[in-house]
Amino acid sequence: MGLMRILYLGSTSPTACASFYADAAESLGHEVFRWDPELFRVQNLSQYLHLKILKTPAQPKRDQCREEIVKKCSVLKVDLVFNLAENFLSLDFLQELKSLSQPPRIVYHSHDNNFSSGILKPDDFFESLAWYDCVFTTKSQNLQKYKMLGQSRAFYIPSAYEPKVHRPLSTNESKLGNQEFAVSFIGTYDRSRDRFLEALDWNKLFIWGDRWKRFSHYRKYKNHIHPKAIYYPDFADVLSHSRVTLGLLREEAADKHTQRTFEIPACGALQVAPRNDEILSFFEENKEIVCFDSPEELKDKVDFYLSHESERKRIAGAGFERVTRSRHTYCDRVKTILERVLST
């Protein structure tokens, strides 16, 4: 595979997992030009009201974004445009890129379930997917849906972890000192998780994430809830100080696995996650991961491993060994993506 000039479209925030793809491409020797369209960044009241009411960026901002990307493709002479979940790049924009004298290959990739009502997208989003050279998704349940929409070059590719940030932190690196959390969960509030969390002993449970003030028992348990998202290295720090970490999924998104599926064991924590075939294709149950089907089983499993330290450490260690030897890094994913793109 030859080296390429790649225009990366997506978040450039150091806290966003999206930027790990650009980092990985650079580590493989490709020349990467990063650009964040910032379509949801509002600069005045008019833009704020437009976004709040219509759930879409204002058209002038979308037009400006389109012109800037086409210009960059022409000037930089890129070989590939890698669109990471920028859903509001229109069908007209894709057609314009394809009409350039030296059109680049165009790839779309997303960690989101784009068939979920909670994901914002323009009216022509699904129609536009057929214009990409390849479409990638971490949601295996969406693969056939994409193909039925006319994108025959759609591929499922699992989520990943980044070894530089998802790793056990040493005592010298930690901000938490000697603190220890019996059970931790890091993730945005979602009502589908309530029945599982309510089955646990909240004296031992600690949560980090956005929107937790929506939780009906927030006031009762607020001393155990940090209602803000945490990122790297704080994310790895919490997991490095957790005896058990929950890998809960979102029912509304029909998740079968997420980034956390790999990030948790990579940080050396014992992962307790919902039981499904996809997760069990990555880890062996009761040897590298602990699984559950019901709130009652979750409670029983958590209580057991909190009182059986040697078993807990054995499975956590095996999970760490499995994830670090099984090629689940962002670099591995980018290699696969580029190989698929060049073979189509």
Side-chain angles (χ1 to χ4, degrees):
M1 179 174 65
L3 298 180
M4 292 190 289
R5 294 165 65 85
I6 301 173
L7 177 60
Y8 163 86
L9 306 177
S11 174
T12 55
S13 167
T15 63
C17 70
S19 62
F20 293 145
Y21 288 97
D23 295 340
E26 284 183 334
S27 74
L28 292 170
H30 301 285
E31 189 172 6
V32 179
F33 306 95
R34 305 173 190 231
W35 194 62
D36 187 345
E38 295 186 324
L39 286 171
F40 289 89
R41 181 183 177 187
V42 296
Q43 297 173 304
N44 53 55
L45 180 59
S46 175
Q47 289 180 358
Y48 170 80
L49 292 174
H50 189 283
L51 187 59
K52 187 75 173 176
I53 297 170
L54 299 180
K55 307 297 183 185
T56 179
Q59 191 60 48
K61 197 166 188 177
R62 292 177 64 184
D63 291 340
Q64 182 182 7
C65 171
R66 166 183 171 175
E67 292 171 6
E68 185 67 24
I69 295 172
V70 172
K71 179 181 177 181
K72 287 181 180 294
C73 287
S74 299
V75 172
L76 298 173
K77 300 188 185 319
V78 299
D79 304 300
L80 176 72
V81 175
F82 191 109
N83 176 7
L84 195 55
E86 291 293 335
N87 292 350
F88 282 87
L89 301 181
S90 67
L91 177 59
D92 289 345
F93 155 75
L94 294 170
Q95 293 171 337
E96 187 171 356
L97 278 187
K98 291 288 188 180
S99 69
L100 293 175
S101 58
Q102 293 182 308
R105 290 185 172 95
I106 315 171
V107 169
Y108 175 85
H109 182 37
S110 178
H111 282 217
D112 295 322
N113 182 344
N114 284 316
F115 295 90
S116 166
S117 60
I119 301 301
L120 299 182
K121 47 195 174 287
D123 292 339
D124 65 359
F125 172 74
F126 290 119
E127 183 182 358
S128 73
L129 292 178
W131 283 79
Y132 285 93
D133 291 283
C134 290
V135 167
F136 295 89
T137 176
T138 62
K139 307 301 183 187
S140 60
Q141 69 272 23
N142 287 350
L143 186 57
Q144 287 306 120
K145 294 179 181 178
Y146 284 137
K147 291 186 175 183
M148 290 174 65
L149 287 167
Q151 178 46 274
S152 60
R153 299 173 302 279
F155 303 96
Y156 160 66
I157 186 165
S159 297
Y161 76 99
E162 173 48 58
K164 292 179 181 179
V165 296
H166 301 121
R167 59 185 177 84
L169 292 192
S170 66
T171 303
N172 292 337
E173 297 175 284
S174 175
K175 297 178 183 178
L176 296 173
N178 294 323
Q179 289 187 70
E180 182 180 81
F181 309 108
V183 184
S184 66
F185 173 65
I186 301 175
T188 302
Y189 173 72
D190 186 85
R191 188 176 298 175
S192 66
R193 296 166 173 157
D194 287 3
R195 61 194 180 102
F196 295 104
L197 296 173
E198 289 171 3
L200 300 177
D201 180 354
W202 274 79
N203 291 317
K204 300 175 181 177
L205 175 62
F206 293 86
I207 290 175
W208 290 259
D210 289 331
R211 302 179 184 174
W212 277 92
K213 291 185 179 180
R214 299 179 181 181
F215 179 42
S216 59
H217 299 301
Y218 172 74
R219 289 189 178 182
K220 181 178 179 180
Y221 298 125
K222 65 180 181 180
N223 291 336
H224 287 249
I225 300 174
H226 305 259
K228 290 183 68 175
I230 57 171
Y231 300 102
Y232 329 108
D234 295 331
F235 176 93
D237 205 359
V238 168
L239 266 61
S240 296
H241 287 75
S242 299
R243 296 172 65 199
V244 171
T245 297
L246 306 179
L248 301 179
L249 305 176
R250 283 202 309 127
E251 291 181 5
E252 190 274 335
D255 286 340
K256 295 184 178 181
H257 86 278
T258 67
Q259 301 101 290
R260 300 285 190 265
T261 305
F262 303 106
E263 294 169 351
I264 291 170
C267 291
L270 172 65
Q271 179 172 201
V272 180
R275 184 182 291 110
N276 65 56
D277 291 342
E278 195 156 290
I279 284 179
L280 294 180
S281 72
F282 305 130
F283 301 101
E284 188 172 351
E285 186 172 2
N286 297 327
K287 291 187 177 181
E288 298 161 337
I289 192 171
V290 174
C291 296
F292 63 90
D293 282 327
S294 67
E296 295 76 20
E297 186 179 11
L298 170 61
K299 181 182 185 306
D300 290 344
K301 294 289 181 68
V302 168
D303 290 346
F304 177 84
Y305 287 103
L306 288 179
S307 61
H308 292 76
E309 189 68 2
S310 62
E311 287 292 294
R312 183 190 70 79
K313 289 183 175 180
R314 177 184 63 78
I315 297 176
F320 175 80
E321 292 297 326
R322 177 68 180 270
V323 77
T324 53
R325 73 169 187 265
S326 295
R327 299 185 179 179
H328 292 305
T329 69
Y330 283 93
C331 192
D332 295 318
R333 300 298 186 243
V334 169
K335 283 181 183 177
T336 300
I337 287 171
L338 297 182
E339 286 170 359
R340 291 274 175 84
V341 170
L342 293 176
S343 67
T344 57

